[in-house]
Amino acid sequence: MTMTVSAESAARMACRASGMAERSLVPLHHHATSVFLLAAEGVVVRVSPVSQQRRLATAVALTRWLVANHFPATEPADVAQPVAYEPYVVTFWRHYPQPARGAPPAGRLGDLLRTLHSLSSPPVTLPRYQPLASLKTAVESSTYLAPDQRAWLMERRQELLHAYGELDFPLGHGHIHGDAYPGNTLWDDQDVRLGDWDEVAFGPREIDLANTFQGVRFGRSAGELDDFSERYGHDIRQWSGLSALCEIRDLHTLGSFIRRADQGDAAAAQQLSYRIETLRNADAQAQWGAT
């Protein structure tokens, strides 16, 4: 009989294999990745699809180098990782308790990215940035998407890839976070750290800037965007390619909702259908939920 391993059971097995007592494990949230807190150890346990194992090994190696070079990345726990338990792979990170004052402002991300992009090239081989690569897999394998939704998404993906291929990138190429937006920053007392390094890559610097501007769909204000740009030292709004990168980001965000809808998550399915509808209607002003 085939046993189905849950994300929580994979987390518990990985904790035991790494010499950490898993009794205090509690869930924090679930989206693209299932995240748990191992309170007794002060460790966050992240459970991802096993297909991400190579990327996560890169993320661990890179963040260890970043922390050693005094960049405020979230710090991997000092254990051998990642740990694979099919169909999952598990990583361990230091826990940073968050205060009640709210998330770090967008401007602090501008500071972090300016510093990150100014660092010398890391001694870690990074994958090349490939826009919308994971979306293709999610769309093609989806059991939730209707045929017309699937066809539209694949057609729109090709249109945006063509537009991306026509862009010039004045900031040049180098190591990028790949998923940089204010939601991936954490308070560390009065300092701020940058987390969620799963999509780190070698690619255009503009990728790390555009994601914050796509955040107008979630209520990000013009003042926040001004502060972000001033602190980074460059205003990407003066570049004609910004809209294409925001539209690519719009489509990229659908991937995790497709996978959750396939698993029967009703809230994710509702948000997915709404996002696809607004995109098909070219409604650039539609506000999205962060379910």
Side-chain angles (χ1 to χ4, degrees):
M1 183 174 69
T2 301
M3 297 292 291
T4 300
V5 177
S6 69
E8 182 173 344
S9 62
R12 292 186 181 279
M13 288 188 289
C15 288
R16 290 195 296 269
S18 300
M20 294 183 283
E22 37 79 27
R23 185 175 301 173
S24 66
L25 189 78
V26 294
L28 289 181
H29 64 84
H30 171 73
H31 192 54
T33 296
S34 296
V35 182
F36 302 86
L37 173 62
L38 194 61
E41 304 280 354
V43 167
V44 170
V45 184
R46 304 181 79 239
V47 184
S48 308
V50 75
S51 60
Q52 297 296 306
Q53 184 169 358
R54 180 175 293 182
R55 275 194 165 275
L56 291 172
T58 299
V60 169
L62 178 69
T63 48
R64 283 179 172 156
W65 177 80
L66 288 170
V67 170
N69 283 273
H70 311 294
F71 178 83
T74 47
E75 185 173 358
D78 188 19
V79 296
Q81 54 173 317
V83 180
Y85 286 99
E86 294 278 359
Y88 300 109
V89 61
V90 182
T91 53
F92 304 94
W93 303 82
R94 179 183 164 194
H95 179 226
Y96 302 92
Q98 295 302 287
R101 65 179 181 267
R108 299 296 292 269
L109 177 61
D111 291 331
L112 290 170
L113 291 176
R114 184 187 71 250
T115 301
L116 177 68
H117 292 172
S118 68
L119 292 175
S120 60
S121 298
V124 178
T125 301
L126 303 179
R128 286 196 170 270
Y129 174 74
Q130 295 181 301
L132 302 176
S134 61
L135 181 74
K136 181 176 185 290
T137 302
V139 171
E140 289 179 338
S141 63
S142 176
T143 56
Y144 173 80
L145 292 171
D148 66 306
Q149 292 176 320
R150 191 191 316 275
W152 184 85
L153 286 169
M154 294 301 284
E155 181 180 355
R156 183 59 179 151
R157 176 181 177 274
Q158 285 302 123
E159 292 172 352
L160 289 173
L161 288 178
H162 176 75
Y164 178 83
E166 298 295 312
L167 297 178
D168 291 319
F169 296 101
L171 296 179
H173 291 62
H175 54 273
I176 60 173
H177 180 279
D179 191 26
Y181 73 106
N184 276 341
T185 58
L186 294 170
W187 289 110
D188 182 10
D189 292 326
Q190 297 303 310
D191 297 324
V192 176
R193 289 184 178 262
L194 182 56
D196 287 5
W197 294 84
D198 303 10
E199 297 183 36
V200 63
F202 181 91
R205 303 295 197 192
E206 285 83 356
I207 297 297
D208 275 351
L209 306 186
N211 295 346
T212 294
F213 289 85
Q214 187 262 351
V216 297
R217 287 206 181 271
F218 305 98
R220 192 155 297 128
S221 69
E224 290 176 297
L225 298 178
D226 289 343
D227 191 32
F228 172 82
S229 300
E230 181 177 351
R231 286 173 176 258
Y232 181 78
H234 177 80
D235 193 340
I236 197 176
R237 288 170 292 190
Q238 307 303 315
W239 177 57
S240 62
L242 175 59
S243 60
L245 292 191
C246 286
E247 290 170 13
I248 287 172
R249 178 69 175 183
D250 278 346
L251 221 59
H252 174 76
T253 66
L254 303 183
S256 59
F257 286 91
I258 293 172
R259 289 184 285 273
R260 288 172 56 194
D262 288 343
Q263 297 166 4
D265 185 327
Q270 183 178 22
Q271 178 65 200
L272 172 64
S273 295
Y274 173 69
R275 291 190 184 194
I276 292 175
E277 179 185 2
T278 59
L279 291 174
R280 294 181 74 168
N281 291 333
D283 186 352
Q285 305 304 313
Q287 295 288 288
W288 290 354
T291 303

mmCIF file of all heavy atoms in Angstrom, residues 221-250:
data_model
loop_
_atom_site.group_PDB
_atom_site.id
_atom_site.type_symbol
_atom_site.label_atom_id
_atom_site.label_comp_id
_atom_site.label_asym_id
_atom_site.label_seq_id
_atom_site.Cartn_x
_atom_site.Cartn_y
_atom_site.Cartn_z
ATOM 1 N N SER A 221 1.123 52.167 -2.267
ATOM 2 C CA SER A 221 0.869 53.570 -2.604
ATOM 3 C C SER A 221 2.000 54.176 -3.414
ATOM 4 O O SER A 221 3.129 53.672 -3.440
ATOM 5 C CB SER A 221 0.686 54.384 -1.320
ATOM 6 O OG SER A 221 1.919 54.487 -0.623
ATOM 7 N N ALA A 222 1.696 55.325 -4.054
ATOM 8 C CA ALA A 222 2.712 56.055 -4.810
ATOM 9 C C ALA A 222 3.838 56.515 -3.892
ATOM 10 O O ALA A 222 5.012 56.517 -4.278
ATOM 11 C CB ALA A 222 2.081 57.245 -5.527
ATOM 12 N N GLY A 223 3.489 56.891 -2.649
ATOM 13 C CA GLY A 223 4.505 57.312 -1.700
ATOM 14 C C GLY A 223 5.479 56.189 -1.353
ATOM 15 O O GLY A 223 6.688 56.420 -1.236
ATOM 16 N N GLU A 224 4.958 54.986 -1.208
ATOM 17 C CA GLU A 224 5.821 53.834 -0.944
ATOM 18 C C GLU A 224 6.758 53.570 -2.113
ATOM 19 O O GLU A 224 7.942 53.251 -1.931
ATOM 20 C CB GLU A 224 4.974 52.600 -0.671
ATOM 21 C CG GLU A 224 4.228 52.609 0.640
ATOM 22 C CD GLU A 224 3.337 51.392 0.790
ATOM 23 O OE1 GLU A 224 2.401 51.224 -0.019
ATOM 24 O OE2 GLU A 224 3.585 50.589 1.709
ATOM 25 N N LEU A 225 6.237 53.706 -3.331
ATOM 26 C CA LEU A 225 7.053 53.478 -4.522
ATOM 27 C C LEU A 225 8.123 54.553 -4.667
ATOM 28 O O LEU A 225 9.248 54.266 -5.086
ATOM 29 C CB LEU A 225 6.168 53.427 -5.760
ATOM 30 C CG LEU A 225 5.132 52.295 -5.784
ATOM 31 C CD1 LEU A 225 4.268 52.376 -7.035
ATOM 32 C CD2 LEU A 225 5.804 50.924 -5.690
ATOM 33 N N ASP A 226 7.777 55.782 -4.310
ATOM 34 C CA ASP A 226 8.768 56.865 -4.331
ATOM 35 C C ASP A 226 9.904 56.564 -3.355
ATOM 36 O O ASP A 226 11.088 56.722 -3.686
ATOM 37 C CB ASP A 226 8.115 58.193 -3.956
ATOM 38 C CG ASP A 226 7.174 58.737 -5.030
ATOM 39 O OD1 ASP A 226 7.265 58.264 -6.182
ATOM 40 O OD2 ASP A 226 6.363 59.613 -4.694
ATOM 41 N N ASP A 227 9.544 56.137 -2.135
ATOM 42 C CA ASP A 227 10.548 55.849 -1.106
ATOM 43 C C ASP A 227 11.431 54.680 -1.527
ATOM 44 O O ASP A 227 12.663 54.730 -1.366
ATOM 45 C CB ASP A 227 9.836 55.536 0.212
ATOM 46 C CG ASP A 227 10.794 55.488 1.395
ATOM 47 O OD1 ASP A 227 11.794 56.228 1.382
ATOM 48 O OD2 ASP A 227 10.537 54.698 2.328
ATOM 49 N N PHE A 228 10.816 53.636 -2.081
ATOM 50 C CA PHE A 228 11.570 52.480 -2.565
ATOM 51 C C PHE A 228 12.589 52.907 -3.624
ATOM 52 O O PHE A 228 13.763 52.523 -3.570
ATOM 53 C CB PHE A 228 10.594 51.458 -3.143
ATOM 54 C CG PHE A 228 11.248 50.297 -3.854
ATOM 55 C CD1 PHE A 228 11.732 49.213 -3.140
ATOM 56 C CD2 PHE A 228 11.364 50.297 -5.236
ATOM 57 C CE1 PHE A 228 12.349 48.141 -3.797
ATOM 58 C CE2 PHE A 228 11.973 49.236 -5.901
ATOM 59 C CZ PHE A 228 12.463 48.158 -5.176
ATOM 60 N N SER A 229 12.137 53.713 -4.585
ATOM 61 C CA SER A 229 13.017 54.138 -5.680
ATOM 62 C C SER A 229 14.149 55.015 -5.181
ATOM 63 O O SER A 229 15.311 54.875 -5.599
ATOM 64 C CB SER A 229 12.203 54.893 -6.738
ATOM 65 O OG SER A 229 11.180 54.074 -7.265
ATOM 66 N N GLU A 230 13.828 55.937 -4.268
ATOM 67 C CA GLU A 230 14.849 56.843 -3.740
ATOM 68 C C GLU A 230 15.918 56.062 -2.977
ATOM 69 O O GLU A 230 17.125 56.314 -3.125
ATOM 70 C CB GLU A 230 14.206 57.877 -2.819
ATOM 71 C CG GLU A 230 15.194 58.882 -2.243
ATOM 72 C CD GLU A 230 14.519 59.937 -1.382
ATOM 73 O OE1 GLU A 230 13.272 60.000 -1.366
ATOM 74 O OE2 GLU A 230 15.256 60.689 -0.707
ATOM 75 N N ARG A 231 15.498 55.088 -2.184
ATOM 76 C CA ARG A 231 16.457 54.328 -1.380
ATOM 77 C C ARG A 231 17.290 53.385 -2.247
ATOM 78 O O ARG A 231 18.467 53.143 -1.931
ATOM 79 C CB ARG A 231 15.723 53.551 -0.280
ATOM 80 C CG ARG A 231 15.225 54.439 0.858
ATOM 81 C CD ARG A 231 14.364 53.646 1.832
ATOM 82 N NE ARG A 231 13.958 54.434 2.965
ATOM 83 C CZ ARG A 231 14.502 54.367 4.187
ATOM 84 N NH1 ARG A 231 15.540 53.575 4.393
ATOM 85 N NH2 ARG A 231 14.049 55.098 5.171
ATOM 86 N N TYR A 232 16.701 52.860 -3.318
ATOM 87 C CA TYR A 232 17.495 52.015 -4.208
ATOM 88 C C TYR A 232 18.468 52.871 -5.020
ATOM 89 O O TYR A 232 19.569 52.426 -5.352
ATOM 90 C CB TYR A 232 16.600 51.209 -5.149
ATOM 91 C CG TYR A 232 17.403 50.308 -6.065
ATOM 92 C CD1 TYR A 232 17.930 49.104 -5.599
ATOM 93 C CD2 TYR A 232 17.673 50.674 -7.385
ATOM 94 C CE1 TYR A 232 18.703 48.288 -6.414
ATOM 95 C CE2 TYR A 232 18.447 49.862 -8.210
ATOM 96 C CZ TYR A 232 18.949 48.677 -7.725
ATOM 97 O OH TYR A 232 19.723 47.879 -8.540
ATOM 98 N N GLY A 233 18.032 54.075 -5.368
ATOM 99 C CA GLY A 233 18.900 54.961 -6.140
ATOM 100 C C GLY A 233 18.612 54.961 -7.626
ATOM 101 O O GLY A 233 19.417 55.461 -8.428
ATOM 102 N N HIS A 234 17.453 54.439 -8.000
ATOM 103 C CA HIS A 234 17.073 54.400 -9.416
ATOM 104 C C HIS A 234 15.561 54.276 -9.484
ATOM 105 O O HIS A 234 14.970 53.459 -8.781
ATOM 106 C CB HIS A 234 17.732 53.220 -10.120
ATOM 107 C CG HIS A 234 17.336 53.068 -11.561
ATOM 108 N ND1 HIS A 234 17.896 53.818 -12.561
ATOM 109 C CD2 HIS A 234 16.417 52.258 -12.159
ATOM 110 C CE1 HIS A 234 17.356 53.467 -13.719
ATOM 111 N NE2 HIS A 234 16.458 52.527 -13.501
ATOM 112 N N ASP A 235 14.936 55.069 -10.360
ATOM 113 C CA ASP A 235 13.483 55.018 -10.522
ATOM 114 C C ASP A 235 13.152 54.261 -11.797
ATOM 115 O O ASP A 235 13.282 54.790 -12.904
ATOM 116 C CB ASP A 235 12.898 56.434 -10.569
ATOM 117 C CG ASP A 235 11.381 56.432 -10.427
ATOM 118 O OD1 ASP A 235 10.759 55.372 -10.677
ATOM 119 O OD2 ASP A 235 10.813 57.480 -10.077
ATOM 120 N N ILE A 236 12.721 53.034 -11.644
ATOM 121 C CA ILE A 236 12.441 52.170 -12.792
ATOM 122 C C ILE A 236 11.224 52.645 -13.582
ATOM 123 O O ILE A 236 10.997 52.213 -14.717
ATOM 124 C CB ILE A 236 12.247 50.710 -12.311
ATOM 125 C CG1 ILE A 236 12.371 49.724 -13.482
ATOM 126 C CG2 ILE A 236 10.936 50.550 -11.567
ATOM 127 C CD1 ILE A 236 12.286 48.273 -13.059
ATOM 128 N N ARG A 237 10.444 53.559 -13.004
ATOM 129 C CA ARG A 237 9.274 54.092 -13.724
ATOM 130 C C ARG A 237 9.662 54.908 -14.940
ATOM 131 O O ARG A 237 8.819 55.176 -15.806
ATOM 132 C CB ARG A 237 8.414 54.922 -12.763
ATOM 133 C CG ARG A 237 7.661 54.090 -11.747
ATOM 134 C CD ARG A 237 7.014 54.932 -10.673
ATOM 135 N NE ARG A 237 7.998 55.574 -9.794
ATOM 136 C CZ ARG A 237 7.685 56.207 -8.666
ATOM 137 N NH1 ARG A 237 6.427 56.292 -8.284
ATOM 138 N NH2 ARG A 237 8.639 56.758 -7.914
ATOM 139 N N GLN A 238 10.938 55.304 -15.036
ATOM 140 C CA GLN A 238 11.410 56.041 -16.205
ATOM 141 C C GLN A 238 11.787 55.104 -17.354
ATOM 142 O O GLN A 238 12.191 55.568 -18.425
ATOM 143 C CB GLN A 238 12.630 56.891 -15.813
ATOM 144 C CG GLN A 238 12.403 57.796 -14.616
ATOM 145 C CD GLN A 238 11.230 58.742 -14.817
ATOM 146 O OE1 GLN A 238 11.087 59.348 -15.880
ATOM 147 N NE2 GLN A 238 10.390 58.864 -13.801
ATOM 148 N N TRP A 239 11.659 53.807 -17.142
ATOM 149 C CA TRP A 239 12.059 52.797 -18.129
ATOM 150 C C TRP A 239 10.831 52.199 -18.788
ATOM 151 O O TRP A 239 9.876 51.796 -18.124
ATOM 152 C CB TRP A 239 12.876 51.716 -17.430
ATOM 153 C CG TRP A 239 13.318 50.561 -18.271
ATOM 154 C CD1 TRP A 239 14.064 50.603 -19.405
ATOM 155 C CD2 TRP A 239 13.043 49.168 -18.021
ATOM 156 N NE1 TRP A 239 14.283 49.334 -19.892
ATOM 157 C CE2 TRP A 239 13.667 48.432 -19.062
ATOM 158 C CE3 TRP A 239 12.343 48.486 -17.035
ATOM 159 C CZ2 TRP A 239 13.597 47.046 -19.123
ATOM 160 C CZ3 TRP A 239 12.280 47.117 -17.090
ATOM 161 C CH2 TRP A 239 12.895 46.398 -18.129
ATOM 162 N N SER A 240 10.847 52.113 -20.106
ATOM 163 C CA SER A 240 9.673 51.666 -20.858
ATOM 164 C C SER A 240 9.344 50.187 -20.656
ATOM 165 O O SER A 240 8.229 49.755 -20.958
ATOM 166 C CB SER A 240 9.868 51.932 -22.357
ATOM 167 O OG SER A 240 10.983 51.206 -22.849
ATOM 168 N N GLY A 241 10.294 49.409 -20.126
ATOM 169 C CA GLY A 241 10.053 47.980 -19.970
ATOM 170 C C GLY A 241 9.330 47.587 -18.702
ATOM 171 O O GLY A 241 8.993 46.412 -18.512
ATOM 172 N N LEU A 242 9.042 48.566 -17.817
ATOM 173 C CA LEU A 242 8.444 48.221 -16.529
ATOM 174 C C LEU A 242 7.099 47.520 -16.679
ATOM 175 O O LEU A 242 6.827 46.542 -15.981
ATOM 176 C CB LEU A 242 8.289 49.477 -15.668
ATOM 177 C CG LEU A 242 7.569 49.271 -14.324
ATOM 178 C CD1 LEU A 242 8.313 48.256 -13.462
ATOM 179 C CD2 LEU A 242 7.411 50.601 -13.588
ATOM 180 N N SER A 243 6.257 47.997 -17.570
ATOM 181 C CA SER A 243 4.918 47.401 -17.695
ATOM 182 C C SER A 243 5.001 45.934 -18.092
ATOM 183 O O SER A 243 4.241 45.094 -17.585
ATOM 184 C CB SER A 243 4.072 48.181 -18.710
ATOM 185 O OG SER A 243 4.680 48.160 -19.996
ATOM 186 N N ALA A 244 5.945 45.592 -18.969
ATOM 187 C CA ALA A 244 6.091 44.188 -19.376
ATOM 188 C C ALA A 244 6.497 43.322 -18.193
ATOM 189 O O ALA A 244 5.972 42.211 -18.011
ATOM 190 C CB ALA A 244 7.110 44.063 -20.505
ATOM 191 N N LEU A 245 7.411 43.816 -17.366
ATOM 192 C CA LEU A 245 7.840 43.026 -16.210
ATOM 193 C C LEU A 245 6.721 42.891 -15.179
ATOM 194 O O LEU A 245 6.570 41.833 -14.547
ATOM 195 C CB LEU A 245 9.064 43.652 -15.557
ATOM 196 C CG LEU A 245 10.356 43.628 -16.367
ATOM 197 C CD1 LEU A 245 11.539 44.031 -15.484
ATOM 198 C CD2 LEU A 245 10.622 42.271 -16.995
ATOM 199 N N CYS A 246 5.902 43.938 -15.017
ATOM 200 C CA CYS A 246 4.765 43.838 -14.092
ATOM 201 C C CYS A 246 3.740 42.836 -14.609
ATOM 202 O O CYS A 246 3.156 42.071 -13.816
ATOM 203 C CB CYS A 246 4.128 45.207 -13.896
ATOM 204 S SG CYS A 246 5.104 46.337 -12.863
ATOM 205 N N GLU A 247 3.528 42.800 -15.909
ATOM 206 C CA GLU A 247 2.586 41.845 -16.470
ATOM 207 C C GLU A 247 3.118 40.416 -16.359
ATOM 208 O O GLU A 247 2.350 39.465 -16.132
ATOM 209 C CB GLU A 247 2.285 42.207 -17.924
ATOM 210 C CG GLU A 247 1.459 43.478 -18.050
ATOM 211 C CD GLU A 247 1.350 43.971 -19.482
ATOM 212 O OE1 GLU A 247 1.696 43.210 -20.405
ATOM 213 O OE2 GLU A 247 0.921 45.117 -19.672
ATOM 214 N N ILE A 248 4.422 40.245 -16.507
ATOM 215 C CA ILE A 248 5.029 38.931 -16.287
ATOM 216 C C ILE A 248 4.849 38.519 -14.827
ATOM 217 O O ILE A 248 4.502 37.366 -14.530
ATOM 218 C CB ILE A 248 6.516 38.962 -16.680
ATOM 219 C CG1 ILE A 248 6.652 39.008 -18.213
ATOM 220 C CG2 ILE A 248 7.264 37.744 -16.117
ATOM 221 C CD1 ILE A 248 8.065 39.222 -18.703
ATOM 222 N N ARG A 249 5.053 39.454 -13.909
ATOM 223 C CA ARG A 249 4.858 39.160 -12.487
ATOM 224 C C ARG A 249 3.402 38.792 -12.208
ATOM 225 O O ARG A 249 3.115 37.868 -11.439
ATOM 226 C CB ARG A 249 5.279 40.364 -11.647
ATOM 227 C CG ARG A 249 5.078 40.197 -10.148
ATOM 228 C CD ARG A 249 6.023 39.188 -9.571
ATOM 229 N NE ARG A 249 5.899 39.132 -8.098
ATOM 230 C CZ ARG A 249 6.643 38.371 -7.324
ATOM 231 N NH1 ARG A 249 7.583 37.595 -7.847
ATOM 232 N NH2 ARG A 249 6.469 38.365 -6.010
ATOM 233 N N ASP A 250 2.457 39.505 -12.814
ATOM 234 C CA ASP A 250 1.039 39.173 -12.668
ATOM 235 C C ASP A 250 0.800 37.699 -12.995
ATOM 236 O O ASP A 250 0.151 36.979 -12.235
ATOM 237 C CB ASP A 250 0.187 40.029 -13.614
ATOM 238 C CG ASP A 250 -0.125 41.416 -13.067
ATOM 239 O OD1 ASP A 250 0.085 41.651 -11.868
ATOM 240 O OD2 ASP A 250 -0.597 42.255 -13.857
#
